[in-house]
Amino acid sequence: MTNSVTADETGNGTDGCCASLDGVDPAATATDLRVLTAMGNDTRYELLRLIASADGGVCVCDLEAGVGVSQSAVSQALSRLRDAGLVTRRKEGSWRYYGLTETAAALLETLDDVRGTDE
Amino acid sequence: MTNSVTADETGNGTDGCCASLDGVDPAATATDLRVLTAMGNDTRYELLRLIASADGGVCVCDLEAGVGVSQSAVSQALSRLRDAGLVTRRKEGSWRYYGLTETAAALLETLDDVRGTDE
DNA sequence: ATATTATACAACCAAGCACTAATATGTTTC
DNA sequence: GAAACATATTAGTGCTTGGTTGTATAATAT
């Protein structure tokens, strides 16, 4: 119940098929795609799950052990997740503790909920 | 509240940092990643939104007009979405009507809900 | 001040991806 | 039957991406 179709505003004479559909909101699309592409990668998805399981804070070195890639890759992945608004960063001494945002928590929960719903 | 950390089962002596984190469920990961990578593409995301807005059924030719790519690309995108369990297909004559699955509907709704929640 | 730890940034590169074009299959209509 | 339509599939291709290696910055320790 989010959108609605503007019924044939173009008035093109093709009957039977090909009704007109209105476009998708570009701003929302951009935001959502940034989120989805950020989550849709093995390393970054696992980082999110690890951060979620260690509620409160994990530092990069913890995560580095969890996923099987270099420290550099983890750092880049976390930056990407932060840009997408999926994780928060808290500096403390020379460590950085990462935590989930509400957005990320909600999406992970939805994924858990729907997994196996429809085959 | 989905996962929990098994507190330092490895017992490695490094104090201060680098606690152990358990791995992420591989089956769930695979399923979720298939969903996320399927949604995380401009064309496929827009297709989902278009299908969502035209509740009940859209044929491929309708969609082809909505997104700016070739018929072939739309067909491929829809196959990918179907593999990921995000759309259903109903044949009727020489047309195919696509609809959202509950999974896709739930995820799009969550995206709408969280958009702009945290900056 | 130097060394060590913790993290980020930049450049490069192989692999995967998402298109287009062409062709195939199935369905109406003539 | 042939022609036109609706969709799928295959092959080829340029571009994006996610990783590594190397280097830089910052904080703590010696």
Side-chain angles (χ1 to χ4, degrees):
Chain A
M1 289 139 196
T2 321
N3 279 325
S4 65
V5 201
T6 56
D8 204 13
E9 57 186 4
T10 63
N12 54 348
T14 60
D15 51 8
C17 188
C18 298
S20 67
L21 294 167
D22 50 349
V24 184
D25 178 25
T29 301
T31 309
D32 289 354
L33 277 179
R34 204 141 33 82
V35 167
L36 291 168
T37 55
M39 293 185 75
N41 164 262
D42 198 52
T43 298
R44 292 191 297 265
Y45 174 90
E46 287 187 11
L47 285 175
L48 284 180
R49 288 287 181 192
L50 290 174
I51 293 171
S53 70
D55 201 64
V58 231
C59 62
V60 180
C61 60
D62 289 336
L63 299 167
E64 201 176 331
V67 301
V69 295
S70 69
Q71 173 268 320
S72 176
V74 173
S75 180
Q76 291 174 65
L78 289 170
S79 293
R80 182 83 180 276
L81 290 172
R82 213 161 74 100
D83 286 344
L86 292 169
V87 298
T88 59
R89 186 169 66 177
R90 171 171 53 93
K91 320 185 67 165
E92 194 160 321
S94 76
W95 284 266
R96 268 113 210 202
Y97 290 98
Y98 284 87
L100 287 194
T101 60
E102 286 183 34
T103 297
L107 284 166
L108 289 178
E109 196 177 321
T110 302
L111 283 169
D112 288 335
D113 289 345
V114 300
R115 198 178 309 120
T117 298
D118 21 46
E119 229 50 22
Chain B
M1 283 136 197
T2 321
N3 277 324
S4 65
V5 201
T6 57
D8 203 14
E9 57 185 3
T10 64
N12 54 348
T14 61
D15 51 9
C17 188
C18 297
S20 67
L21 294 167
D22 49 349
V24 185
D25 179 24
T29 302
T31 309
D32 289 354
L33 276 179
R34 204 142 32 82
V35 167
L36 291 168
T37 54
M39 292 186 75
N41 163 262
D42 198 52
T43 298
R44 293 192 296 266
Y45 174 89
E46 287 187 11
L47 284 175
L48 285 180
R49 287 288 181 191
L50 290 173
I51 293 171
S53 69
D55 202 64
V58 229
C59 62
V60 179
C61 60
D62 288 338
L63 298 167
E64 202 177 331
V67 300
V69 295
S70 70
Q71 174 268 318
S72 175
V74 172
S75 181
Q76 291 175 66
L78 289 169
S79 293
R80 182 84 180 275
L81 289 172
R82 213 161 74 99
D83 287 343
L86 293 169
V87 298
T88 60
R89 186 168 66 176
R90 170 171 53 92
K91 320 185 67 166
E92 195 159 318
S94 76
W95 283 267
R96 268 113 210 203
Y97 291 98
Y98 284 87
L100 288 194
T101 62
E102 287 183 34
T103 296
L107 284 167
L108 289 179
E109 198 177 320
T110 302
L111 284 169
D112 287 336
D113 288 346
V114 300
R115 197 179 308 120
T117 297
D118 21 44
E119 232 54 19

